Amino acid sequence: MPAPSASSFPLASSPWLPVLDLDTRAERHVGLTEALTRAHRLRLSLPEQDEPAVLRLLLAVLDAACGPDTPAAWDAAWAAPRLPAGPVTAYLDQWADRLDLFHPEHPVFQCAGLTPNRGAQSLDPVSLSGSGGGFWSDALLAAGPPHPYRPWTPAEAVVRLLWLHAYDVGGIKTAAPGDPAGKGSKVYGALPGPIAQVTHLHLTVRRGTLKDDLLINLPPQPRAPGDAPVWEQDPAPVPVRERTPLGRLDRWTWPARRILLHTGGDGMVTGLALHDGDRLPKNHDDGLIASLDPLTGWQTTAKGRPWPLQVLNPAGFHLPWHTARLLDPHDPQGLASGVVTHAVAAAERGALAADTVIHVSTGTTQHTNQHRSVIYTCQTDTARLATARQLATPEARLHEARRARYADVLQKNLRGCVLTVTGWPPATIVSRLLLSGLDSSWADTVRLADTDPQAAAAVWDQALSAAADHVINTVGRMPDTRKEQIRAQYRTWSSPTAPRSKGGRPAARTYPAFGGTYSLSQISRMPQCTLSYITLRKRVEAAEPAGEDWTAAEIETIARGG
């Protein structure tokens, strides 16, 4: 790939975006215009950690150019063989100068007139990790002072620039010239980049194209009044400023830092200026951010505040089933994500083919201190969410969410049982009381659930039981009798038939089913049941046998969806 002139590198036409071309089966680089006009024959070919920042740029361009503003318009765009080339090309031609990496007056995602204060190594993501971080690079250590770090091609620098805006660490920054917020050449209280502050979440279509992945992550809505991507706005001032995002286009292209790339005579990027940029107000509303940015996942705290969706356990390992709880709009923790809600709505309208398989990708940034000035790790994970057929069926969505929530309940019960029976201090063993080794079982469960919910429930139940047994066997030195005591307590607490309420209320009516006699509420919590409690109760009431008692076979047939 020839190196473009340092005086101009328009993102619309210069090859910088790594893709897989389905026509040639080869990887190559394209500009924004080709990426969008040929999105039906391309797939992104980026490392998982780079994809969120680049995806947001692509979505912002498409949305600003011709994004669907109604569900009907979205359905038409999804059914069309390709994205509309005319509006996309016209839009990128209109804003070509403002999307130029090296424009002398308004270089894209940069601030003209700054003096370089960092070397090329500051564009390497691992430079934000520090020597104590989780993904520190030996290459940076080897290239440390006085040895220069390697320069970047303009194509590489674009991706690194987007990454820096999205993930740069918080804390203390060098004050930009003339910034009134500077104190002794420093500014304090910088926030991490916008993606590093939240749980990023986007969807992908299995065996789909870039067109599919863009649209599945672009909920239809008209442009908010005043909303605009950064290249349509007046150039950002050099000083730090606090402000509220204008809309999702503004948020997706948020200028979190004041940056200016520095190039040598050969057009390679050898350094940069880096200062703090736009900040959210100190008491900003996370609910507003959640509503503006559909590419995020959220849950609700006990005090009713939005909080980034937790997809990692206390040991820092992914819980791939946790995102399935997003399929229940009434989840006790108030889980929500704009793109998941959008995909469910599209499936319910019948816009997605029933066998379309949707995966969900999450990204979580962990820092080493409260100032978030060093990244410990950036973890990404992709797991199957559901087919469109499942997304279109409320009972199937609810059942998958219930399976995921069941794992969280069992995890809590396991911890409680061990601590209750042993009396050990929680701080000394809580990290050893985590269910693990469940990733492949969850993948099998989600795959089976599309065609055989009973088999899916059995796989997941067996996997959870095995994981709990492993924890009990390895948590610490204790006699076998103590381990059996923990198992007995755990089985009692984790049974779907365990008492769930207190007080003197009348006992609920019970029915024979699955080897015992249970209330409908208890049956609805069993892995064998594919219906919600409300649906199960309605079907049982509608089919009440005249003058006869229910048989176990009849109740089991209804509970299984028959």
Side-chain angles (χ1 to χ4, degrees):
M1 181 175 61
S5 168
S7 62
S8 178
F9 194 86
L11 303 193
S13 56
S14 300
W16 65 273
L17 181 60
V19 297
L20 171 65
D21 192 319
L22 299 179
D23 290 333
T24 63
R25 307 305 301 179
E27 293 191 358
R28 60 191 186 89
H29 292 73
V30 299
L32 289 173
T33 301
E34 184 176 356
L36 295 177
T37 58
R38 293 196 64 246
H40 58 294
R41 299 302 304 157
L42 301 175
R43 290 180 185 150
L44 284 182
S45 182
L46 285 161
E48 284 188 333
Q49 291 180 351
D50 290 343
E51 193 166 337
V54 174
L55 179 64
R56 287 165 184 256
L57 170 60
L58 289 169
L59 286 168
V61 173
L62 176 59
D63 197 23
C66 56
D69 56 359
T70 65
W74 189 93
D75 293 352
W78 181 264
R82 60 193 304 164
L83 296 176
V88 166
T89 302
Y91 179 82
L92 288 170
D93 286 347
Q94 177 185 358
W95 296 101
D97 284 350
R98 300 295 293 270
L99 285 163
D100 189 335
L101 189 66
F102 297 129
H103 195 282
E105 298 176 2
H106 36 68
V108 66
F109 290 107
Q110 298 168 76
C111 188
L114 296 175
T115 301
N117 63 349
R118 300 287 187 94
Q121 72 274 8
S122 292
L123 282 175
D124 191 327
V126 299
S127 69
L128 305 182
S129 181
S131 58
F135 56 105
W136 178 253
S137 168
D138 290 338
L140 285 185
L141 286 174
H147 305 292
Y149 191 74
R150 74 168 184 88
W152 304 86
T153 67
E156 292 173 323
V158 177
V159 179
R160 301 276 60 86
L161 174 65
L162 295 174
W163 204 97
L164 194 58
H165 271 293
Y167 291 96
D168 188 33
V169 294
I172 303 173
K173 299 292 178 186
T174 302
D179 190 339
K183 297 179 180 179
S185 77
K186 306 290 185 182
V187 291
Y188 297 84
L191 297 173
I195 300 182
Q197 297 178 41
V198 298
T199 297
H200 170 87
L201 187 152
H202 72 268
L203 305 179
T204 57
V205 179
R206 184 188 179 201
R207 297 179 180 171
T209 64
L210 176 57
K211 170 184 179 286
D212 299 327
D213 288 347
L214 290 175
L215 288 175
I216 203 66
N217 289 293
L218 191 61
Q221 70 175 46
R223 186 189 288 210
D227 188 20
V230 66
W231 54 84
E232 290 186 22
Q233 302 178 35
D234 293 334
V238 170
V240 173
R241 63 177 177 180
E242 286 189 0
R243 66 184 185 89
T244 300
L246 304 169
R248 75 178 181 187
L249 292 173
D250 187 20
R251 189 59 182 167
W252 280 344
T253 60
W254 188 258
R257 297 291 181 262
R258 304 291 185 255
I259 300 173
L260 184 64
L261 300 178
H262 177 72
T263 59
D266 58 358
M268 301 289 281
V269 175
T270 57
L272 68 155
L274 176 63
H275 307 279
D276 196 15
D278 285 10
R279 299 180 180 180
L280 293 172
K282 287 184 174 62
N283 296 317
H284 68 273
D285 180 9
D286 278 334
L288 173 63
I289 302 303
S291 67
L292 289 180
D293 189 352
L295 299 175
T296 52
W298 300 86
Q299 61 191 56
T300 304
T301 67
K303 295 183 178 180
R305 290 182 52 207
W307 193 258
L309 177 67
Q310 300 300 296
V311 293
L312 305 178
N313 69 14
F317 294 105
H318 267 280
L319 306 175
W321 56 88
H322 209 170
T323 49
R325 293 182 59 173
L326 292 162
L327 297 176
D328 181 4
H330 304 296
D331 185 275
Q333 288 185 295
L335 275 63
S337 171
V339 290
V340 173
T341 301
H342 158 56
V344 168
E348 289 184 326
R349 295 195 304 270
L352 307 179
D355 58 353
T356 302
V357 179
I358 306 295
H359 285 75
V360 57
S361 296
T362 56
T364 303
T365 305
Q366 295 178 292
H367 298 85
T368 61
N369 56 48
Q370 63 179 351
H371 302 293
R372 296 183 287 182
S373 58
V374 176
I375 291 179
Y376 177 70
T377 184
C378 282
Q379 294 210 41
T380 57
D381 185 64
T382 299
R384 179 167 170 152
L385 180 64
T387 63
R389 178 170 39 251
Q390 292 169 284
L391 294 181
T393 308
E395 290 173 358
R397 297 197 303 268
L398 186 61
H399 198 56
E400 183 166 338
R402 183 185 292 128
R403 280 194 295 270
R405 191 161 59 247
Y406 186 49
D408 293 336
V409 170
L410 295 191
Q411 172 70 81
K412 182 178 179 180
N413 289 349
L414 178 62
R415 183 182 299 116
C417 289
V418 173
L419 297 178
T420 297
V421 172
T422 65
W424 290 338
T428 64
I429 61 168
V430 72
S431 62
R432 289 181 282 165
L433 300 179
L434 302 174
L435 299 177
S436 60
L438 293 167
D439 293 29
S440 60
S441 296
W442 177 252
D444 291 341
T445 298
V446 176
R447 177 178 51 81
L448 283 169
D450 186 41
T451 56
D452 193 341
Q454 286 182 260
V459 166
W460 190 229
D461 192 49
Q462 291 168 9
L464 290 172
S465 296
D469 265 346
H470 176 74
V471 170
I472 294 169
N473 284 331
T474 60
V475 66
R477 293 182 178 179
M478 65 179 75
D480 289 344
T481 54
R482 179 66 62 87
K483 292 179 181 179
E484 287 306 315
Q485 187 179 0
I486 294 173
R487 284 193 181 89
Q489 181 75 67
Y490 175 72
R491 282 193 289 267
T492 299
W493 285 13
S494 302
S495 169
T497 63
R500 304 290 173 174
S501 60
K502 298 179 181 179
R505 290 172 292 182
R509 180 180 176 181
T510 57
Y511 301 81
F514 305 115
T517 303
Y518 311 111
S519 69
L520 293 181
S521 177
Q522 291 171 335
I523 293 173
S524 71
R525 292 194 295 270
M526 293 181 175
Q528 301 96 321
C529 182
T530 63
L531 306 179
S532 68
Y533 165 68
I534 293 175
T535 301
L536 177 63
R537 187 189 67 193
K538 287 182 178 179
R539 292 191 180 182
V540 168
E541 290 174 351
E544 183 75 20
E548 297 179 314
D549 291 328
W550 286 98
T551 66
E554 291 170 334
I555 292 293
E556 290 171 8
T557 298
I558 294 176
R560 290 183 174 123

